[in-house]
Each structure stands twice: as C-alpha cells, then as structure tokens.
Amino acid sequence: MVVAALANFTERSPIVVVTPTAVDAERLADDLTCLTGVPGDSNQDASDVAGALKGSVAVLPPWETLPFERVSPEVETMGHRLAVLWSLGGEDSVDQIPQGPRVIVAPIRAMLQRLASGQVAAPICVRKGKVVNQEDLITQLVAIGYRREHQVEHRGEIAVRGGIVDVFPSTSDVPVRIDLWGDEVDRLTEFSVNDQRSSHEVGAAMFFGCRELQPDKEVRAAAEALSTTQPWGESQWQRLARGEHFDGMESWLPFIISREILLPDLLPSRAQVVLCEPRRIRDRAVQLLEEEEALAETLASTWGASGQSKVAFPRLHLPFDRLLQECAAGVISMPTVPDSHSAMAMPVRGFNPVAGDPSRLAGQVTELVESRYSVTLCAATPPGAVNLSAALAQEGVHAPVLGAASADAGAAVVVASINTGFILPGCRVAVLSETDVTGRRVPHRRARPRARSTDGFFDDLAVGSFVVHRQHGVARFEGVTSRTMGGTTRDYLILQYRGSDRLYLPVDQIEAITAYSGGEAPTLSKMGGADWQRTRAKARQAAGEVAEELVRLYRRRLSVDGFAFGPDTPWQAEMEAAFGFVETDDQLKAIADVKADMEQPRPMDRLICGDVGFG
C-alpha cells in the first residue's frame, strides 16, 4: 500500500522496489498492478510491450541459472531484463514509442548481478507502413541474438519465406508476422505457433535482444586475451573471439567484462529506491555470495584451472555494500517493524479468513462498516463478484458490484486480483482479497505458454532410447545425474552424441528435446556439425508434400453442407455466469472455438481432450 501511494503521489520516477526473493517480487508486482490501476508488462503482446512500460509496473527478473553454469538463461528472461534496462539508459523514445516503467520491482539477486553494459541498444521497431529493408532487418535481428529457423516455434527465432518475415520476440508470448510489399510493411499480424495462422493485426512491434552478452569488438578482444592467460577455457574464449552466439555464453560474462556495473548505477537522481525488509535483503545477499564462492572453488578444479584460487575467479554478483555506492537516487528502507523510536510507522492488520462462510463474512463486514470503514472486497472474475455480492445480500449486507473501489464508508465488491488484503485502522480502509474471503488461492493463474506439452514424456524416457534436441539433433539418452555446486543440487539429462560429445541438459529444459520417432536405430548427430541441418531440410520437404495433400482433402470437406446451430441465448449466458470456478485461457478458447464451429453451416471438425484431474 505504501509503495502504491509513492507511485501515485510522488514526483520521483522510476521507483525501484527491492525484495528479498523473486517470489516476493512477483507477488508485490501483482498487487502493485492492482492497487495503482496500471497494467504490468507480463501480459502484454508484442505490439504493446514498450508502450505499456510507460506508467506500468515492471519486474526485473534474475537469471534462473547458477553463476558459471554453462547454460544460458531463458530468452524471455534476458529479453525482459533488456527491456527494463533500456528504459533506464536508452534514448527518450524510439519511433515515438514512450519508455520508462513507473515502478520496477526486482529481487536482490537481480540488483546485485553485474551488467554487461551500462547502455542497452535500442530495440528494433517495425510499424505498419514503415519502409524496411528485409536483408538489413534480418541482419540486425541476428546481431542481437535471434536465430534463423525454417519455422518459428520458440522465443528468439526468425523465419523468412519470400517477402514474409516471422519473428518471435524475446518479450512476447506470441510471434509476429511481417508481410512486406517491396520494402514497405504492408501487414503486421500476430499468429499462432501451433498452426502458424495469423490471428489479428497490430500497429507496431518491438524486438528486444535475446542475449545480454553481445560479442562486439571489446568482448572479442577480451576473449582473445583470455585464450593466452586462461588456457583452461580456450575453447570457449575462441568461440567468443570469433563472435559466435552459443548456449552458455552468458556464464562467461564476469571473465569478459571487467567493469562492475549494477542497475542502481543507471538510475537518475530523480529516481527512488525502496528496500523492502532490508534485513532479509542483506541476509539473502550474503547467502548469494557464499554460494557463488563455493561454486567457484568447486569449478576451479573441475575445469582444470590449475593454479587458480577461488579468489581469482571474478564474481557475477557484487557485495551488498556495493549496491548503492554509485546510486544517485534517493533511498527509503521499509522494515516490517520500526527499527527506532523515531521511525515513522503505519499500523496495519489482517483479515480473519472466513473459509467461505457467508454468515461469518457478513458479520466481519458489518462490524467494519459500522466502524465507518470503507470496505472493498476483491473477486478475481466478474461472475465471482456477482456471486459474492449476492451471498452478502442474503445475509443482509448491501455490497454492490462497482467498477472501482470507493472511498466512501460502506461495503462494495470489485473485480480485482490481489494476493494479500489489508486493514488500515488510521485511514479506516479495508481491502479484502479473495483469499481472505474464501480461504483459498485463486485456482488458476495465467500460465506461461510452452511450445509443447512435456507431461508424461520424462516418465517414458529409458536409458538407451533416442531423443532429438531441436538445436543439436539426434542423441542417445544415457540417464539422469545430479550435481551439487555451491550448495545447490540440480538434475541433468545426459545426452550422448557422436564421438565423445555429451550434453548435460537441466531437467527443467526438457521441452528442448522430443522422442525419436524414425522407426529404426538412427545415426547420432555430431554437435556443431552440418548433418543435422541437412536432415531437417529433408524433413521439411516431406512435410510440405503432406501439407499439400491435407489442403486438397479439407478443400473437399468445406464443400459439404452441415447443420448450423443458433447463437447463445440469455439462458445459456445465465448458466455460464453461475459456474463457480475460474476457467483457464485454454478452456475459454476451446469453448469459443466449439461454439463458432457449431454455428457454421458445415460439418464440425474438432476434437476436445480434457483431464478432470483431482477434486
């Protein structure tokens, strides 16, 4: 509540809120989005990412990989980090698109992580009607880390077919199709990864980089020098010296970049830093450094860095005392309890959960209203708000459904998703979340889209079976191993390639592989070789022939007449509004697609598969 008040009333901008953990950051960002009434950046499409940064609540995520781990962070993570960093150190605008989030929420791990540069390159902006040279556009995208593929399926990929350029932005959940007429952008649409069909047009698209470490002249020169002074990592230094983009290149950032730059160093004097629970933040910072030190000591011997002590390994994270040394912004500490008698404090208390008991809920709401409180009850969905208002009405409590919270005394129900409610006795304000009212969390939250489902795939893997990695090709699964580094244990899949090449793939990246379905024992691929690319080219040709046959088949199906059902009736809408649960995005899409099919005068061609699960 205090941070939301700062965002609404102070002239300082941006407000950088530091939390102890990433989970705290996500929850705080969700609540701030609800309380400040401005959209966050997590649900924006490709055309609205940078535009929504202006006046929004943004999260600066940390890398999900361990320091020195030879695995790159997720493209989405690096893309969102670059978007936030660009808003702090970039130009005022790019093609008249504003930048600069009002509030940035970051865990201490992200704040203490060294940056590759204090100046992030401006994103590539494409607008409908803009003149764009196709070759220049592709060259620019490849230079910032995008990988050229035959078909776009994952973030950070581009595909070119004639005058059409498909791009999956690093900061978006959906890819963008650029349809060029000569050198002019004739059409700009989003499309589905599953069927590659365009959905709707957008006005503009912004493409942030996919790599935080770019092999520019400075990086290549530093890597070349390390080949002589640090021969234990010569193979990696040489790849960086040649300007290559490869998986795990970000793990070498502390060795390549000698400058120590943190995010607070980029903040202007008009900014404001808020430390939430500073004691927990400092304890977490100390823990990070101890884990990284233990990890460096272990890897020194593993990598064969003879003569290298643990002190010689540069650190990815800097000490807590360095956090605000170069920061020109103002700093506010916000502990949970006053640290001195003169400290300003705001009394706050929680709400006693009623676990879905309408009479208990009505009693507590009535008590607050009689004490001249402004009571706002939050529901996650419009049907839930209507049901909550009706339940209170049956208990004799008037709580209408409003479009926004009111400061007047009394009770009201609004549609808002907030994690934790609060009661402020000094202001006589009570905001009750759905968890406070029902005693349970919202059952569904917006899930991160995945290229494919991996449910059950891991259980079917057997030692000796063949799998296909989307980048490296066919490999043999050799089992699972656990490695402990710096006190953190992770499980890895062992993939054996031709010769002595082995890939240790973290189990949380299992979506990068699929089961081999060729029907016979295949030849293992050579990591970094050209045979896998030739195999993919043959498969694309065969898939094209099958697609032509399917087009002819469905063209004939469209000529057959079917029965067209009528549109929804008021009774149908009333029944759906009474549904007591929150539908997922996939469920809502399936319902809409089925209804649209049933209203068409042609045979329906759709199969719905569902799993009821438990409960």
Side-chain angles (χ1 to χ4, degrees):
M1 183 64 177
V2 175
V3 177
L6 285 174
N8 283 325
F9 297 112
T10 185
E11 296 181 357
R12 289 183 172 272
S13 180
I15 299 174
V16 180
V17 186
V18 186
T19 63
T21 66
V23 174
D24 294 333
E26 291 290 344
R27 290 176 177 172
L28 180 58
D30 290 342
D31 286 353
L32 287 175
T33 299
C34 179
L35 293 173
T36 57
V38 293
D41 68 340
S42 59
N43 296 337
Q44 301 299 324
D45 58 30
S47 64
D48 207 21
V49 169
L53 283 176
K54 188 67 174 180
S56 70
V57 179
V59 177
L60 180 73
W63 289 355
E64 60 274 358
T65 55
L66 294 172
F68 313 120
E69 186 177 21
R70 298 188 182 186
V71 178
S72 291
E74 289 289 338
V75 171
E76 179 187 16
T77 299
M78 292 187 286
H80 279 285
R81 285 175 55 86
L82 290 173
V84 174
L85 295 175
W86 167 74
S87 70
L88 296 175
E91 301 175 357
D92 292 338
S93 64
V94 174
D95 288 354
Q96 299 179 350
I97 294 182
Q99 62 169 324
R102 176 65 171 153
V103 181
I104 300 174
V105 185
I108 186 59
R109 181 179 176 184
M111 295 291 288
L112 292 178
Q113 179 179 319
R114 290 172 55 182
L115 306 178
S117 174
Q119 185 73 24
V120 178
I124 300 172
C125 179
V126 177
R127 286 182 175 275
K128 184 178 180 180
K130 182 180 179 180
V131 176
V132 175
N133 183 280
Q134 181 175 345
E135 292 300 325
D136 292 344
L137 175 62
I138 296 172
T139 301
Q140 293 173 11
L141 290 171
V142 172
I144 59 177
Y146 285 82
R147 186 176 62 255
R148 189 163 179 173
E149 297 286 349
H150 172 72
Q151 180 174 289
V152 167
E153 294 180 342
H154 308 89
R155 292 183 182 87
E157 294 181 348
I158 58 175
V160 182
R161 297 185 305 279
I164 297 177
V165 181
D166 291 344
V167 186
F168 204 143
S170 59
T171 54
S172 175
D173 290 338
V174 289
V176 175
R177 178 161 292 155
I178 306 171
D179 197 341
L180 297 172
W181 178 259
D183 286 343
E184 182 180 349
V185 180
D186 181 61
R187 192 164 177 247
L188 198 63
T189 60
E190 294 181 345
F191 67 93
S192 171
V193 171
N194 296 326
D195 55 17
Q196 299 289 307
R197 296 174 62 181
S198 299
S199 55
H200 64 278
E201 294 194 22
V202 294
M206 299 191 70
F207 308 121
F208 288 90
C210 301
R211 297 285 186 183
E212 288 193 55
L213 181 63
Q214 294 295 337
D216 52 21
K217 292 182 179 180
E218 182 181 356
V219 170
R220 292 199 297 268
E224 188 68 35
L226 285 172
S227 298
T228 304
T229 60
Q230 306 281 358
W232 53 268
E234 183 177 4
S235 60
Q236 309 297 331
W237 311 139
Q238 288 298 327
R239 297 182 71 178
L240 287 170
R242 291 193 296 267
E244 296 182 11
H245 287 95
F246 58 92
D247 188 46
M249 60 184 296
E250 287 77 16
S251 61
W252 306 112
L253 186 149
F255 295 88
I256 298 295
I257 305 298
S258 59
R259 301 183 305 274
E260 296 183 349
I261 304 175
L262 299 179
L263 180 137
D265 303 347
L266 309 180
L267 296 177
S269 58
R270 66 176 184 275
Q272 180 71 63
V273 177
V274 180
L275 302 177
C276 291
E277 300 184 73
R279 185 181 297 274
R280 281 188 63 203
I281 289 176
R282 180 180 288 274
D283 292 342
R284 178 55 181 155
V286 172
Q287 183 183 4
L288 284 173
L289 292 180
E290 291 176 349
E291 292 175 352
E292 187 170 352
E293 183 178 357
L295 187 61
E297 185 177 5
T298 302
L299 292 177
S301 58
T302 303
W303 290 345
S306 58
Q308 298 289 335
S309 65
K310 60 184 180 181
V311 180
F313 274 68
R315 296 291 184 264
L316 177 64
H317 300 95
L318 299 183
F320 179 79
D321 294 338
R322 169 63 178 81
L323 178 65
L324 302 174
Q325 280 185 356
E326 305 295 332
C327 179
V331 180
I332 297 177
S333 293
M334 194 179 299
T336 54
V337 294
D339 52 7
S340 66
H341 295 289
S342 59
M344 297 178 62
M346 174 180 289
V348 61
R349 62 185 178 91
F351 184 79
N352 186 19
V354 296
D357 187 345
S359 59
R360 288 183 56 198
L361 172 63
Q364 295 192 47
V365 172
T366 301
E367 180 181 352
L368 291 171
V369 172
E370 290 177 350
S371 300
R372 306 299 298 170
Y373 273 77
S374 171
V375 182
T376 303
L377 299 97
C378 300
T381 62
V386 173
N387 293 337
L388 179 57
S389 178
L392 289 173
Q394 292 180 357
E395 299 294 333
V397 178
H398 178 64
V401 179
L402 303 180
S406 174
D408 299 333
V413 180
V414 299
V415 179
S417 180
I418 187 171
N419 290 283
T420 306
F422 51 88
I423 300 176
L424 302 178
C427 307
R428 296 190 180 277
V429 170
V431 176
L432 312 181
S433 68
E434 185 164 320
T435 302
D436 298 326
V437 173
T438 64
R440 60 179 174 85
R441 294 284 181 183
V442 176
H444 295 293
R445 291 190 63 186
R446 190 170 182 267
R448 221 180 248 185
R450 304 175 74 95
R452 65 179 180 87
S453 176
T454 59
D455 294 340
F457 175 63
F458 183 78
D459 296 333
D460 296 335
L461 276 179
V463 175
S465 59
F466 295 98
V467 296
V468 181
H469 191 282
R470 62 173 180 247
Q471 293 182 17
H472 304 299
V474 181
R476 184 171 55 249
F477 175 62
E478 297 291 343
V480 181
T481 184
S482 297
R483 290 189 170 186
T484 301
M485 296 183 180
T488 301
T489 302
R490 296 186 69 178
D491 294 331
Y492 296 86
L493 307 179
I494 306 175
L495 305 182
Q496 180 69 50
Y497 287 87
R498 189 188 310 169
S500 59
D501 293 344
R502 271 191 172 189
L503 175 66
Y504 290 86
L505 182 72
V507 294
D508 57 3
Q509 297 181 20
I510 193 175
E511 64 176 17
I513 63 174
T514 56
Y516 177 78
S517 57
E520 58 184 17
T523 302
L524 298 181
S525 301
K526 178 69 175 177
M527 291 186 65
D531 57 339
W532 174 238
Q533 301 302 326
R534 289 193 294 267
T535 302
R536 294 181 66 182
K538 293 179 181 179
R540 286 195 293 266
Q541 181 179 358
E545 297 174 356
V546 175
E548 292 179 1
E549 182 180 350
L550 288 175
V551 169
R552 292 192 295 268
L553 173 63
Y554 277 85
R555 186 181 293 119
R556 292 196 298 269
R557 282 184 58 89
L558 291 176
S559 62
V560 180
D561 293 332
F563 180 80
F565 289 85
D568 288 352
T569 63
W571 296 276
Q572 172 79 14
E574 182 178 349
M575 182 192 70
E576 293 179 354
F579 185 61
F581 300 92
V582 181
E583 298 90 342
T584 65
D585 291 344
D586 289 340
Q587 289 171 343
L588 292 174
K589 184 177 185 301
I591 293 171
D593 290 344
V594 169
K595 289 181 178 179
D597 284 353
M598 295 176 67
E599 294 174 9
Q600 297 297 322
R602 62 173 181 267
M604 182 171 173
D605 185 20
R606 186 179 298 277
L607 175 65
I608 301 296
C609 298
D611 179 10
V612 297
F614 295 93

